[in-house]
Amino acid sequence: MKHYSPTDYVNWLEEYKVRQKAGLEARKIVASFSKRFFSEHVPCNGFSDIENLEGPEIFFEDELVCILNMEGRKALTWKYYAKKILYYLRQQKILNNLKAFLQQPDDYESYLEGAVYIDQYCNPLSDISLKDIQAQIDSIVELVCKTLRGINSRHPSLAFKAGESSMIMEIELQSQVLDAMNYVLYDQLKFKGNRMDYYNALNLYMHQVLIRRTGIPISMSLLYLTIARQLGVPLEPVNFPSHFLLRWCQGAEGEGIDQSYQLLRDSLDLYLAMYPDQVQLLLLQARLYFHLGIWPEKVLDILQHIQTLDPGQHGAVGYLVQHTLEHIERKKEEVGVEVKLRSDEKHRDVCYSIGLIMKHKRYGYNCVIYGWDPTCMMGHEWIRNMNVHSLPHGHHQPFYNVLVEDGSCRYAAQENLEYNVEPQEISHPDVGRYFSEFTGTHYIPNAELEIRYPEDLEFVYETVQNIYSAKKENIDE
């Protein structure tokens, strides 16, 4: 009801019909995504049919939220794609707002708004608002004001109201404000830079910086700059190589502000375009996709992006490009979907099946199997780098694609896996891409995965009966 005004006349019957039509259309589209995109990453143009929907977009989003709120352990594939679609729709709205913001005339008061748009863009499913973040900053300003009352009763911030403060002309008073800010932020509230985990994306988001009181130079500077301005102290950004700093202007009102704001706007634009850790994240993602042998074309796109962002990564990138191209050539020789039958003689050594919850014997992580090979299918370089030859059975044993509870994907040797006697859900973002339901003991593959492993489900049922039923009987006794 929040989308309706109490004073507006609404034909509720017609509104219901439009809502129902949008809901049916949403479910139809979500249901089609697994079949369309199971074998590849969802491309940007995969959402073109969503953008052409008739009727209010809010009804479509409402249905997606309903799908996400369906019973927890079921409809996992629907939820997986509903989340992707909802993510895309909201991100597009935020991106439009951010683009409009960057096209505005220079306005020194709006830099926090830009930072919040970036935060929202990177976290479109979170409830992040400029109003809430501003309220938290206002509470910090109030603490600074209380501290200032003990220093100088003439300080104009004693009458502080959000958005109404003016610049302090006396240099001595500005210095007192900065001292009070430093005390409140760093001694009282314990804000700090994150040196131990610098490349954690949470260091970039304003709402997380305020919650965790931890950040990196650009996010901490934005916070400090916002608070200082509300208290009447002019600061401006200074661009150092690989660093983002602030300078106390100590000048008249408006001095250097246009240039400073433009630098900050440029920094925000860069902030959106590339996080400080993006090269490493992209390189890690490319390595992961390459080692798992999935989406080779996507790997090449990532590698080209890395080369553009950081030419210094040419060594690792060149290695991955070479082997990815070889992988693509091998893939071209495959015709249609590869179906793996457990009853096939060449698969006689495969002991485990897709959907089973496993534990790694050496590293102790929990995981779920979503694919397997009768022997290691990686190249010689991968086998050497992963030290596979040190295993008793080497690469001449089944290997399994697994989704790990920490969000990673791995390729594990059979001898390193064992049944998890206490099966649990695996909190991995791609579980819904492969499985439709978690039963409490195992995952049920969705239609697309079952096509590739048509006999595995029967082996899963047999394993569950033997492993978990026997355990339950022992407990009952």
Side-chain angles (χ1 to χ4, degrees), residues 164 344 364 373 393 410 439:
E164 295 184 8
D344 196 314
D373 297 309
H393 295 91
R410 306 194 187 188
T439 67

Side-chain angles (χ1 to χ4, degrees), residues 110-121 123 126-142 160 162 191 202 204-211 219 222-224 226-227 230 271:
S110 59
Y111 50 79
L112 178 64
E113 180 182 356
V116 173
Y117 280 140
I118 293 169
D119 195 343
Q120 293 173 335
Y121 180 82
N123 304 279
S126 299
D127 187 16
I128 302 166
S129 72
L130 176 61
K131 181 179 179 181
D132 291 341
I133 288 178
Q134 183 64 64
Q136 294 179 66
I137 292 176
D138 290 347
S139 67
I140 296 176
V141 173
E142 290 283 9
F160 162 77
F191 276 85
L202 297 181
L204 303 167
Y205 307 139
M206 289 306 298
H207 82 285
Q208 288 290 346
V209 170
L210 289 167
I211 292 172
S219 57
L222 283 168
L223 175 62
Y224 198 94
T226 301
I227 295 171
Q230 289 189 208
Y271 187 14

